Amino acid sequence: MKNVLFYGDSNTWGYQGDDPMHRLDADKRYTGVVAAQFPDVHFIEEGLCGRTICSTDPIDYGRNGMAMLPALLATHDPLDVIVIMLGTNDSKTMYGHSPFTISDAMDRTIKLMQSPLLWSNTMQKPQILLVAPPKMGENLADSVYYGMFNESSAALIRALPARFRTLAEKYGCAFVDGSAVTAAKCSDQIHLTAEEHAVLGRLIADKLRELL
């Protein structure tokens, strides 16, 4: 059986901005939408609210995705495909990132994932499906998270697809432009509704079918 790891943040975890006390049901998350199309594949969800590519949150510990990655890869080794969708939380105002620094962090993350000598017992080198994060909604100023994220954050996210596509080409990864989906229907303008998860899941499943 093939193993696929989803590595992401709150949208991978299934956070509902309009109902934050309840995690979106497994079959409604984009990960579940994908899994339903591949019944003979083992899917592993590693979604964590607040997870970044490389930034260390001074309040919430354990959110630095690059720091946590080797242990998680070793935990789930061997892996056939890693689907990674990160970047939204790196756009928080407190981090002060630019499109260059976010894409540079993803560059280093991909190299880490392609270097099983650093983490793998089986030495199996997984394929990588890089997903650019969904766009933020146009009414971000009305979001409960406004201030944590602002218009500069939204602009950063809009700049990532082109850079991530270039990274995918550089390292021979598959790519999905998740910015085809906008977090427009949730009041916080950051998190996806079940309907938006379904759209993203179909996009990822179509590309994953080429890899499995």
Side-chain angles (χ1 to χ4, degrees), residues 73-159:
L73 292 177
T75 297
H76 300 298
D77 181 39
L79 293 168
D80 294 280
V81 182
I82 302 170
V83 181
I84 180 169
M85 188 177 79
L86 288 172
T88 297
N89 289 305
D90 297 270
S91 76
K92 289 177 179 177
T93 58
M94 66 178 176
Y95 294 133
H97 277 298
S98 68
F100 175 86
T101 57
I102 292 178
S103 60
D104 186 50
M106 183 59 77
D107 183 296
R108 295 167 189 242
T109 298
I110 292 170
K111 285 188 282 191
L112 177 59
M113 290 188 291
Q114 290 185 333
S115 302
L117 180 63
L118 301 178
W119 55 265
S120 173
N121 288 317
T122 66
M123 295 302 295
Q124 180 167 321
K125 182 178 178 180
Q127 299 183 83
I128 297 169
L129 173 50
L130 177 58
V131 183
K135 289 186 293 189
M136 297 177 185
E138 295 181 359
N139 299 317
L140 189 61
D142 297 327
S143 171
V144 67
Y145 293 116
Y146 190 73
M148 180 183 290
F149 299 94
N150 62 14
E151 289 80 7
S152 294
S153 306
L156 276 174
I157 297 303
R158 291 195 299 271

Coordinates of all heavy atoms in Angstrom, one line a residue, residues 73-159:
L73 N 8.8 13.1 9.3 CA 9.1 12.3 8.2 C 9.6 10.9 8.7 O 9.3 9.8 8.1 CB 10.2 12.9 7.3 CG 9.7 14.2 6.6 CD1 10.9 14.8 5.8 CD2 8.6 13.9 5.6
A74 N 10.4 10.9 9.7 CA 10.9 9.6 10.2 C 9.8 8.8 10.9 O 9.8 7.6 10.7 CB 12.0 9.9 11.3
T75 N 8.9 9.5 11.5 CA 7.7 8.8 12.1 C 6.9 8.0 11.1 O 6.5 6.9 11.3 CB 6.8 9.8 12.8 OG1 7.5 10.5 13.8 CG2 5.6 9.2 13.4
H76 N 6.7 8.6 9.9 CA 5.8 8.1 8.9 C 6.6 7.4 7.7 O 5.9 6.9 6.8 CB 4.9 9.1 8.3 CG 4.0 9.8 9.4 ND1 3.1 9.0 10.1 CD2 4.0 11.0 9.8 CE1 2.5 9.9 11.0 NE2 3.0 11.1 10.8
D77 N 7.9 7.3 7.8 CA 8.7 6.6 6.8 C 8.3 5.1 6.7 O 8.1 4.5 7.7 CB 10.2 6.8 7.3 CG 11.2 6.1 6.4 OD1 11.0 6.3 5.1 OD2 12.1 5.5 6.9
P78 N 8.1 4.6 5.5 CA 8.4 5.2 4.2 C 7.2 6.0 3.6 O 6.1 5.6 3.9 CB 8.7 4.0 3.3 CG 7.9 2.9 3.9 CD 7.8 3.2 5.3
L79 N 7.5 7.0 2.8 CA 6.4 7.8 2.2 C 6.6 7.7 0.7 O 7.7 7.8 0.2 CB 6.5 9.2 2.7 CG 6.1 9.4 4.2 CD1 6.5 10.8 4.6 CD2 4.6 9.1 4.4
D80 N 5.5 7.6 0.0 CA 5.5 7.7 -1.5 C 5.4 9.1 -2.0 O 6.0 9.5 -3.0 CB 4.5 6.8 -2.1 CG 4.7 5.3 -1.8 OD1 5.6 4.7 -2.5 OD2 4.1 4.8 -0.8
V81 N 4.5 9.9 -1.3 CA 4.2 11.2 -1.8 C 4.0 12.1 -0.5 O 3.4 11.7 0.5 CB 3.0 11.4 -2.6 CG1 2.8 12.8 -3.1 CG2 3.0 10.5 -3.9
I82 N 4.6 13.3 -0.5 CA 4.3 14.3 0.5 C 3.6 15.5 -0.2 O 4.1 16.0 -1.2 CB 5.6 14.9 1.1 CG1 6.4 13.8 1.8 CG2 5.3 15.9 2.2 CD1 7.8 14.2 2.2
V83 N 2.4 15.8 0.3 CA 1.6 16.9 -0.2 C 1.8 18.0 0.8 O 1.4 17.9 2.0 CB 0.1 16.6 -0.3 CG1 -0.6 17.8 -0.9 CG2 -0.1 15.4 -1.3
I84 N 2.5 19.1 0.5 CA 2.8 20.2 1.4 C 2.0 21.5 1.0 O 2.2 21.9 -0.2 CB 4.3 20.4 1.5 CG1 4.6 21.6 2.5 CG2 5.0 20.6 0.2 CD1 6.0 21.7 2.9
M85 N 1.3 22.0 1.9 CA 0.6 23.3 1.7 C 0.8 24.2 2.9 O 0.1 24.1 3.9 CB -0.9 23.1 1.4 CG -1.6 24.4 1.0 SD -3.4 24.2 0.6 CE -4.1 24.1 2.2
L86 N 1.8 25.0 2.8 CA 2.2 25.9 3.9 C 2.5 27.3 3.3 O 2.7 27.4 2.1 CB 3.4 25.4 4.7 CG 3.2 24.2 5.6 CD1 4.5 23.7 6.1 CD2 2.2 24.6 6.7
G87 N 2.5 28.3 4.1 CA 2.9 29.7 3.7 C 1.9 30.7 4.3 O 2.3 31.9 4.5
T88 N 0.7 30.3 4.5 CA -0.3 31.3 5.0 C 0.2 31.9 6.3 O 0.2 33.2 6.5 CB -1.7 30.7 5.2 OG1 -2.2 30.2 3.9 CG2 -2.7 31.7 5.8
N89 N 0.6 31.1 7.3 CA 1.0 31.7 8.6 C 2.3 32.4 8.6 O 2.5 33.3 9.4 CB 1.0 30.6 9.6 CG -0.3 30.0 10.0 OD1 -1.2 30.8 10.4 ND2 -0.6 28.8 9.8
D90 N 3.1 32.2 7.6 CA 4.4 32.9 7.4 C 4.1 34.4 7.0 O 4.9 35.2 7.1 CB 5.3 32.3 6.4 CG 5.7 30.9 6.9 OD1 6.8 30.8 7.5 OD2 5.0 29.9 6.5
S91 N 2.9 34.6 6.5 CA 2.5 36.0 6.1 C 2.0 36.8 7.2 O 1.6 38.0 7.0 CB 1.4 35.9 5.0 OG 0.1 35.6 5.5
K92 N 1.9 36.3 8.4 CA 1.5 37.1 9.6 C 2.4 38.3 9.7 O 3.6 38.3 9.5 CB 1.5 36.3 10.9 CG 0.5 35.2 11.0 CD 0.6 34.4 12.2 CE -0.5 33.3 12.4 NZ -0.3 32.5 13.6
T93 N 1.8 39.4 10.1 CA 2.5 40.7 10.2 C 3.7 40.6 11.1 O 4.7 41.3 10.9 CB 1.6 41.8 10.7 OG1 1.0 41.5 11.9 CG2 0.4 42.0 9.7
M94 N 3.6 39.8 12.2 CA 4.7 39.8 13.2 C 6.0 39.2 12.6 O 7.1 39.4 13.2 CB 4.3 39.0 14.4 CG 4.1 37.6 14.3 SD 3.6 36.8 15.9 CE 3.2 35.1 15.4
Y95 N 5.9 38.4 11.5 CA 7.1 37.8 11.0 C 7.9 38.7 10.0 O 9.1 38.5 9.9 CB 6.8 36.5 10.3 CG 6.2 35.4 11.3 CD1 5.1 34.7 11.0 CD2 6.9 35.1 12.5 CE1 4.6 33.7 11.8 CE2 6.4 34.2 13.4 CZ 5.2 33.5 13.0 OH 4.7 32.5 13.9
G96 N 7.2 39.6 9.4 CA 7.9 40.5 8.5 C 8.6 39.9 7.2 O 9.6 40.3 6.7
H97 N 7.9 38.8 6.7 CA 8.5 38.1 5.6 C 8.2 38.9 4.3 O 7.3 39.7 4.2 CB 7.9 36.7 5.5 CG 8.6 35.7 6.3 ND1 9.9 35.3 6.2 CD2 8.1 34.9 7.3 CE1 10.2 34.4 7.1 NE2 9.2 34.1 7.8
S98 N 9.0 38.5 3.3 CA 8.8 38.9 1.9 C 8.5 37.7 1.1 O 8.7 36.6 1.5 CB 10.0 39.6 1.4 OG 11.1 38.7 1.2
P99 N 8.0 37.9 -0.2 CA 7.8 36.7 -1.0 C 9.1 35.9 -1.2 O 9.1 34.7 -1.3 CB 7.3 37.3 -2.4 CG 6.6 38.5 -2.0 CD 7.4 39.1 -0.8
F100 N 10.3 36.6 -1.2 CA 11.6 36.0 -1.4 C 11.9 35.1 -0.2 O 12.2 33.9 -0.4 CB 12.7 37.0 -1.6 CG 14.0 36.4 -1.6 CD1 14.6 35.9 -2.8 CD2 14.8 36.2 -0.4 CE1 15.8 35.3 -2.8 CE2 16.0 35.6 -0.5 CZ 16.6 35.2 -1.7
T101 N 11.7 35.6 1.0 CA 12.1 34.8 2.2 C 11.2 33.6 2.4 O 11.6 32.5 2.8 CB 12.1 35.7 3.5 OG1 10.8 36.3 3.7 CG2 13.2 36.7 3.4
I102 N 9.9 33.8 2.1 CA 8.9 32.6 2.2 C 9.3 31.6 1.2 O 9.4 30.4 1.5 CB 7.5 33.1 2.0 CG1 7.1 34.0 3.2 CG2 6.6 31.9 1.9 CD1 5.7 34.5 3.1
S103 N 9.6 32.0 -0.1 CA 9.9 31.0 -1.1 C 11.3 30.4 -0.8 O 11.5 29.2 -1.1 CB 9.8 31.6 -2.5 OG 10.7 32.7 -2.6
D104 N 12.2 31.1 -0.3 CA 13.5 30.6 0.1 C 13.4 29.5 1.2 O 14.0 28.5 1.1 CB 14.4 31.7 0.6 CG 15.9 31.2 0.8 OD1 16.4 30.5 -0.1 OD2 16.4 31.5 1.9
A105 N 12.5 29.8 2.1 CA 12.2 28.8 3.2 C 11.6 27.5 2.6 O 12.0 26.4 3.0 CB 11.3 29.4 4.2
M106 N 10.7 27.7 1.6 CA 10.1 26.5 1.0 C 11.2 25.7 0.2 O 11.2 24.5 0.1 CB 8.9 26.9 0.1 CG 8.2 25.7 -0.5 SD 7.6 24.5 0.7 CE 6.1 25.4 1.2
D107 N 12.1 26.5 -0.5 CA 13.2 25.9 -1.2 C 14.0 24.9 -0.3 O 14.3 23.8 -0.6 CB 14.1 27.0 -1.7 CG 15.2 26.5 -2.6 OD1 16.1 25.8 -2.1 OD2 15.3 26.8 -3.8
R108 N 14.3 25.4 0.9 CA 15.1 24.6 1.9 C 14.3 23.4 2.4 O 14.8 22.4 2.7 CB 15.6 25.5 3.0 CG 16.6 26.6 2.5 CD 16.8 27.6 3.6 NE 17.6 28.7 3.0 CZ 18.8 29.1 3.5 NH1 19.4 28.4 4.4 NH2 19.4 30.1 2.9
T109 N 13.0 23.6 2.5 CA 12.1 22.6 3.0 C 12.1 21.4 2.0 O 12.1 20.2 2.4 CB 10.7 23.1 3.3 OG1 10.8 24.1 4.3 CG2 9.8 22.0 3.7
I110 N 11.9 21.8 0.7 CA 11.9 20.7 -0.3 C 13.2 20.0 -0.3 O 13.2 18.7 -0.4 CB 11.7 21.4 -1.7 CG1 10.2 21.9 -1.8 CG2 11.9 20.4 -2.8 CD1 10.0 22.8 -3.0
K111 N 14.4 20.6 -0.2 CA 15.6 19.9 -0.2 C 15.7 19.0 1.0 O 16.3 17.9 0.9 CB 16.8 21.0 -0.1 CG 17.0 21.6 -1.5 CD 18.3 22.5 -1.5 CE 18.1 23.8 -0.8 NZ 19.2 24.8 -1.0
L112 N 15.1 19.4 2.1 CA 15.1 18.5 3.3 C 14.3 17.3 3.0 O 14.7 16.1 3.3 CB 14.6 19.3 4.5 CG 14.4 18.5 5.8 CD1 15.7 17.9 6.3 CD2 13.8 19.4 6.9
M113 N 13.1 17.5 2.4 CA 12.2 16.3 2.1 C 12.9 15.4 1.1 O 12.6 14.2 1.1 CB 10.9 16.8 1.6 CG 10.0 17.5 2.7 SD 8.4 17.9 2.2 CE 8.6 19.2 1.0
Q114 N 13.7 15.9 0.2 CA 14.4 15.1 -0.8 C 15.7 14.5 -0.3 O 16.4 13.8 -1.1 CB 14.6 15.9 -2.1 CG 13.3 16.3 -2.8 CD 13.6 17.0 -4.1 OE1 14.6 17.7 -4.3 NE2 12.7 16.9 -5.0
S115 N 16.0 14.6 1.0 CA 17.3 14.1 1.5 C 17.0 13.1 2.6 O 17.2 13.4 3.8 CB 18.1 15.3 2.1 OG 18.4 16.3 1.1
P116 N 16.5 11.9 2.2 CA 16.2 10.9 3.2 C 17.4 10.5 4.1 O 17.2 9.9 5.2 CB 15.6 9.7 2.4 CG 16.2 9.9 1.0 CD 16.3 11.4 0.9
L117 N 18.6 10.7 3.6 CA 19.8 10.4 4.5 C 19.7 11.1 5.8 O 20.2 10.6 6.8 CB 21.1 10.9 3.7 CG 22.4 10.6 4.4 CD1 22.6 9.1 4.6 CD2 23.5 11.2 3.7
L118 N 19.0 12.2 5.9 CA 18.9 13.0 7.1 C 17.8 12.5 8.0 O 17.8 12.9 9.2 CB 18.6 14.5 6.8 CG 19.6 15.2 5.9 CD1 19.2 16.6 5.6 CD2 21.0 15.2 6.5
W119 N 16.9 11.7 7.5 CA 15.8 11.3 8.4 C 15.2 9.9 8.2 O 14.4 9.4 9.0 CB 14.6 12.3 8.2 CG 14.2 12.5 6.8 CD1 14.6 13.5 5.9 CD2 13.2 11.7 6.0 NE1 14.0 13.3 4.7 CE2 13.1 12.3 4.7 CE3 12.5 10.6 6.4 CZ2 12.3 11.8 3.8 CZ3 11.6 10.1 5.4 CH2 11.6 10.7 4.1
S120 N 15.6 9.2 7.1 CA 14.8 8.0 6.8 C 15.6 6.7 7.2 O 16.8 6.6 7.0 CB 14.6 8.0 5.3 OG 14.0 6.7 4.9
N121 N 14.9 5.7 7.7 CA 15.5 4.4 7.9 C 15.4 3.6 6.6 O 16.3 2.7 6.4 CB 14.7 3.7 9.0 CG 15.0 4.2 10.4 OD1 16.1 4.6 10.7 ND2 14.0 4.4 11.2
T122 N 14.5 3.8 5.7 CA 14.3 3.0 4.5 C 15.0 3.6 3.3 O 15.1 2.9 2.3 CB 12.8 2.9 4.2 OG1 12.3 4.1 3.9 CG2 12.0 2.3 5.4
M123 N 15.4 4.9 3.4 CA 16.1 5.6 2.3 C 15.1 5.8 1.1 O 15.6 6.0 0.0 CB 17.4 4.9 1.9 CG 18.4 4.9 3.0 SD 18.9 6.6 3.5 CE 19.6 7.2 2.0
Q124 N 13.8 5.6 1.3 CA 12.9 5.9 0.3 C 12.7 7.4 0.1 O 12.4 8.1 1.0 CB 11.6 5.2 0.6 CG 10.5 5.4 -0.5 CD 9.3 4.5 -0.4 OE1 9.5 3.4 0.0 NE2 8.1 5.1 -0.7
K125 N 12.9 7.8 -1.2 CA 12.8 9.2 -1.5 C 11.4 9.5 -2.0 O 11.0 9.0 -3.1 CB 13.8 9.6 -2.5 CG 13.8 11.1 -2.9 CD 14.9 11.4 -3.9 CE 14.9 12.8 -4.4 NZ 16.0 13.1 -5.4
P126 N 10.6 10.3 -1.3 CA 9.2 10.5 -1.7 C 9.1 11.5 -2.8 O 9.9 12.4 -3.0 CB 8.5 11.1 -0.5 CG 9.6 11.8 0.3 CD 10.9 10.9 0.0
Q127 N 8.0 11.4 -3.6 CA 7.7 12.5 -4.5 C 7.0 13.6 -3.7 O 6.5 13.4 -2.6 CB 6.7 12.0 -5.6 CG 7.2 10.8 -6.5 CD 6.2 10.4 -7.5 OE1 6.1 11.0 -8.6 NE2 5.5 9.3 -7.2
I128 N 7.1 14.8 -4.3 CA 6.5 16.0 -3.6 C 5.5 16.6 -4.4 O 5.7 16.9 -5.6 CB 7.7 16.9 -3.2 CG1 8.6 16.3 -2.2 CG2 7.1 18.2 -2.6 CD1 9.9 17.1 -2.0
L129 N 4.4 16.9 -3.8 CA 3.3 17.7 -4.5 C 3.2 19.0 -3.7 O 2.8 19.0 -2.5 CB 2.0 17.0 -4.5 CG 0.8 17.8 -5.0 CD1 1.0 18.4 -6.3 CD2 -0.5 16.8 -5.1
L130 N 3.7 20.1 -4.3 CA 3.7 21.4 -3.7 C 2.5 22.2 -4.0 O 2.1 22.3 -5.2 CB 5.0 22.2 -4.1 CG 5.1 23.6 -3.6 CD1 5.2 23.7 -2.1 CD2 6.4 24.2 -4.3
V131 N 1.7 22.6 -3.0 CA 0.5 23.3 -3.2 C 0.6 24.7 -2.7 O 0.9 25.0 -1.5 CB -0.7 22.6 -2.4 CG1 -2.0 23.3 -2.7 CG2 -0.8 21.1 -2.8
A132 N 0.4 25.7 -3.6 CA 0.4 27.1 -3.2 C -0.9 27.3 -2.3 O -1.9 26.8 -2.6 CB 0.4 28.0 -4.4
P133 N -0.8 28.1 -1.2 CA -2.0 28.3 -0.3 C -3.1 29.0 -1.0 O -2.9 29.9 -1.9 CB -1.4 29.0 0.9 CG -0.1 29.6 0.4 CD 0.4 28.8 -0.7
P134 N -4.3 28.8 -0.5 CA -5.5 29.6 -1.0 C -5.3 31.0 -0.8 O -4.6 31.4 0.2 CB -6.6 29.0 -0.3 CG -6.2 27.6 0.1 CD -4.7 27.7 0.4
K135 N -5.9 31.8 -1.6 CA -5.9 33.3 -1.4 C -6.8 33.7 -0.2 O -7.8 33.0 0.1 CB -6.4 34.0 -2.6 CG -5.5 34.0 -3.8 CD -5.9 34.8 -5.0 CE -7.2 34.2 -5.6 NZ -7.5 34.9 -6.8
M136 N -6.5 34.8 0.4 CA -7.4 35.3 1.5 C -8.5 36.1 0.8 O -8.4 36.6 -0.3 CB -6.5 36.3 2.4 CG -5.4 35.5 3.1 SD -4.4 36.7 4.1 CE -3.2 35.5 4.7
G137 N -9.6 36.2 1.5 CA -10.8 36.9 1.0 C -10.6 38.4 0.9 O -9.7 39.0 1.5
E138 N -11.4 39.0 0.1 CA -11.3 40.4 -0.1 C -11.7 41.3 1.0 O -11.4 42.5 1.1 CB -12.1 40.8 -1.4 CG -11.6 40.2 -2.7 CD -12.5 40.6 -3.9 OE1 -13.4 41.4 -3.7 OE2 -12.1 40.2 -5.0
N139 N -12.5 40.7 2.0 CA -13.0 41.5 3.1 C -12.1 41.2 4.4 O -12.6 41.1 5.5 CB -14.4 41.1 3.4 CG -15.3 41.5 2.2 OD1 -15.2 42.6 1.6 ND2 -16.2 40.6 1.9
L140 N -10.8 41.1 4.2 CA -9.9 40.8 5.3 C -10.0 41.8 6.4 O -9.8 41.4 7.6 CB -8.5 40.7 4.7 CG -7.4 40.1 5.7 CD1 -7.7 38.7 6.1 CD2 -6.0 40.2 5.0
A141 N -10.3 43.0 6.1 CA -10.3 44.1 7.1 C -11.4 43.8 8.1 O -11.4 44.4 9.2 CB -10.5 45.5 6.4
D142 N -12.4 43.0 7.7 CA -13.5 42.7 8.6 C -13.3 41.4 9.4 O -14.1 41.0 10.2 CB -14.8 42.5 7.8 CG -15.2 43.8 7.1 OD1 -15.0 44.9 7.7 OD2 -15.8 43.7 6.0
S143 N -12.1 40.8 9.2 CA -11.8 39.5 9.8 C -11.5 39.7 11.3 O -10.9 40.7 11.7 CB -10.6 38.8 9.1 OG -10.2 37.7 9.8
V144 N -11.8 38.7 12.1 CA -11.4 38.7 13.5 C -9.9 38.6 13.6 O -9.3 39.0 14.7 CB -12.1 37.5 14.2 CG1 -11.6 36.2 13.7 CG2 -11.9 37.6 15.7
Y145 N -9.2 38.2 12.6 CA -7.8 38.0 12.6 C -7.1 39.2 12.0 O -5.8 39.2 11.8 CB -7.4 36.8 11.8 CG -7.8 35.5 12.6 CD1 -8.7 34.6 12.0 CD2 -7.3 35.2 13.8 CE1 -9.1 33.5 12.6 CE2 -7.7 34.0 14.5 CZ -8.6 33.2 13.9 OH -9.0 32.1 14.5
Y146 N -7.8 40.3 11.6 CA -7.2 41.5 11.0 C -6.3 42.1 12.1 O -6.6 42.3 13.2 CB -8.2 42.5 10.6 CG -7.6 43.6 9.8 CD1 -7.2 43.3 8.5 CD2 -7.4 44.9 10.3 CE1 -6.6 44.3 7.7 CE2 -6.9 45.9 9.5 CZ -6.5 45.6 8.2 OH -5.9 46.6 7.4
G147 N -5.0 42.4 11.6 CA -4.0 42.8 12.6 C -2.9 41.7 12.7 O -1.7 42.0 12.5
M148 N -3.4 40.5 12.9 CA -2.5 39.3 12.7 C -2.1 39.1 11.3 O -1.0 38.9 10.9 CB -3.2 38.1 13.3 CG -2.3 36.8 13.2 SD -3.2 35.3 13.7 CE -3.3 35.7 15.5
F149 N -3.2 39.3 10.4 CA -3.0 39.3 9.0 C -3.5 40.7 8.5 O -4.5 41.2 9.0 CB -3.8 38.2 8.3 CG -3.4 36.8 8.7 CD1 -4.0 36.2 9.7 CD2 -2.4 36.2 8.0 CE1 -3.7 34.9 10.1 CE2 -2.0 34.9 8.4 CZ -2.7 34.2 9.4
N150 N -2.9 41.2 7.4 CA -3.5 42.4 6.8 C -3.3 42.4 5.3 O -3.0 41.3 4.7 CB -2.8 43.7 7.4 CG -1.3 43.7 7.2 OD1 -0.8 43.0 6.3 ND2 -0.6 44.6 7.9
E151 N -3.5 43.5 4.7 CA -3.4 43.6 3.2 C -2.0 43.1 2.7 O -1.9 42.5 1.6 CB -3.7 45.0 2.7 CG -5.2 45.4 2.9 CD -5.5 45.9 4.3 OE1 -4.6 46.0 5.1 OE2 -6.7 46.1 4.6
S152 N -1.0 43.4 3.4 CA 0.3 42.9 3.0 C 0.4 41.4 3.1 O 1.1 40.8 2.2 CB 1.4 43.5 3.9 OG 1.5 44.9 3.8
S153 N -0.2 40.8 4.0 CA -0.3 39.4 4.1 C -1.0 38.8 2.9 O -0.5 37.8 2.3 CB -1.1 38.9 5.4 OG -0.5 39.5 6.5
A154 N -2.1 39.4 2.5 CA -2.8 38.9 1.3 C -2.0 39.0 0.1 O -2.0 38.2 -0.8 CB -4.1 39.7 1.2
A155 N -1.2 40.1 0.0 CA -0.4 40.3 -1.2 C 0.7 39.3 -1.2 O 1.1 38.8 -2.3 CB 0.2 41.8 -1.2
L156 N 1.3 39.0 -0.1 CA 2.3 37.9 0.0 C 1.8 36.6 -0.5 O 2.5 35.9 -1.3 CB 2.8 37.8 1.5 CG 3.9 38.7 2.0 CD1 4.1 38.4 3.5 CD2 5.2 38.5 1.3
I157 N 0.6 36.2 -0.1 CA 0.0 35.0 -0.5 C -0.2 35.0 -2.1 O 0.0 34.0 -2.7 CB -1.3 34.7 0.2 CG1 -1.0 34.5 1.7 CG2 -2.0 33.4 -0.3 CD1 0.0 33.4 2.0
R158 N -0.6 36.1 -2.6 CA -0.9 36.2 -4.0 C 0.4 36.1 -4.8 O 0.4 35.7 -6.0 CB -1.6 37.5 -4.4 CG -3.0 37.6 -3.9 CD -3.7 38.8 -4.6 NE -3.1 40.0 -4.3 CZ -3.4 40.8 -3.3 NH1 -4.4 40.4 -2.4 NH2 -2.9 42.0 -3.1
A159 N 1.5 36.4 -4.2 CA 2.8 36.3 -4.9 C 3.5 34.9 -4.9 O 4.4 34.7 -5.6 CB 3.8 37.3 -4.2

